[in-house]
């Protein structure tokens, strides 16, 4: 059972990290290099209603499972590692649902013809939250690898 849980935690956090990393290193630099009208057009073509809920629910499920592992573990180091992983995936869930998704919903309603007032600030908040959730997934994946090796 322990092995199956570790496989789930490693897989879940690693897939999440890979997806977030791809977005961080390729999609965001492309979007952030665009002028306002092109940015809005491109963002409105990306269906984030698929990704954000997956990030949230995957983060939440992995948080719960790793917290349970932390409680069940007799090894104090493993307890700490599972707790760190739970915290990291919790950051993924909270940043995805609490910051990124609401901003994305706003961008979907923007008109490329409207004023770009506030655009840079929103884009910056979305970017910072994305950085936080990428870091959270990296912390989680690293903690789960270390816990599995104990």
């Amino acid at each position: 059972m322990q092995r199956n849980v570790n496989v789930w935690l490693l897989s879940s956090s690693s897939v999440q990290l890979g997806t977030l990393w791809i977005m961080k290193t390729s999609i965001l630099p492309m979007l952030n290099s665009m002028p306002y009208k092109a940015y809005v057009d491109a963002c409105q073509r990306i269906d984030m209603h698929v990704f954000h809920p997956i990030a949230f629910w995957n983060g939440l499920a992995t948080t719960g499972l790793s917290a349970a592992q932390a409680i069940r573990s007799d090894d104090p180091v493993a307890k700490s590692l599972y707790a760190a992983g739970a915290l990291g995936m919790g950051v993924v869930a909270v940043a995805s649902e609490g910051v990124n998704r609401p901003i994305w919903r706003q961008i979907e309603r923007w008109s490329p013809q409207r004023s770009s007032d506030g655009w840079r600030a929103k884009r910056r908040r979305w970017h910072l939250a994305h950085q936080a959730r990428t870091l959270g997934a990296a912390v989680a994946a690293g903690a789960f690898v270390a816990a599995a090796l104990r």
Side-chain angles (χ1 to χ4, degrees):
M1 174 69 171
Q2 175 71 26
R3 186 179 189 152
N4 291 340
V5 171
N6 283 335
V7 168
W8 165 258
L9 294 174
L10 285 167
S11 299
S12 173
S13 60
S14 297
V15 166
Q16 191 77 64
L17 175 58
T19 303
L20 293 168
W21 191 261
I22 288 167
M23 184 175 282
K24 173 186 168 32
T25 59
S26 63
I27 296 169
L28 288 179
M30 177 200 62
L31 289 174
N32 289 337
S33 72
M34 295 176 169
Y36 174 77
K37 181 182 180 328
Y39 177 86
V40 172
D41 284 340
C43 287
Q44 290 177 348
R45 294 179 199 285
I46 299 171
D47 188 2
M48 282 298 204
H49 293 290
V50 173
F51 178 71
H52 283 130
I54 291 171
F56 173 70
W57 289 110
N58 179 58
L60 203 59
T62 306
T63 297
L65 189 55
S66 55
Q69 285 297 100
I71 291 167
R72 280 191 224 129
S73 180
D74 295 328
D75 178 353
V77 173
K79 262 186 190 306
S80 297
L81 291 168
Y82 286 122
L87 180 63
M89 289 306 285
V91 167
V92 171
V94 169
S96 292
E97 191 65 21
V99 180
N100 292 84
R101 194 168 185 202
I103 291 173
W104 202 267
R105 284 188 195 127
Q106 292 172 14
I107 292 170
E108 287 180 327
R109 292 189 306 268
W110 288 357
S111 166
Q113 286 73 39
R114 81 170 201 132
S115 164
S116 64
D117 293 343
W119 165 60
R120 291 191 195 288
K122 272 196 197 316
R123 188 173 69 174
R124 179 83 176 133
R125 266 197 322 276
W126 197 95
H127 181 77
L128 290 173
H130 184 76
Q131 297 286 66
R133 66 186 182 170
T134 303
L135 179 60
V139 165
F144 297 146
V145 166
L149 293 175
R150 292 209 45 87

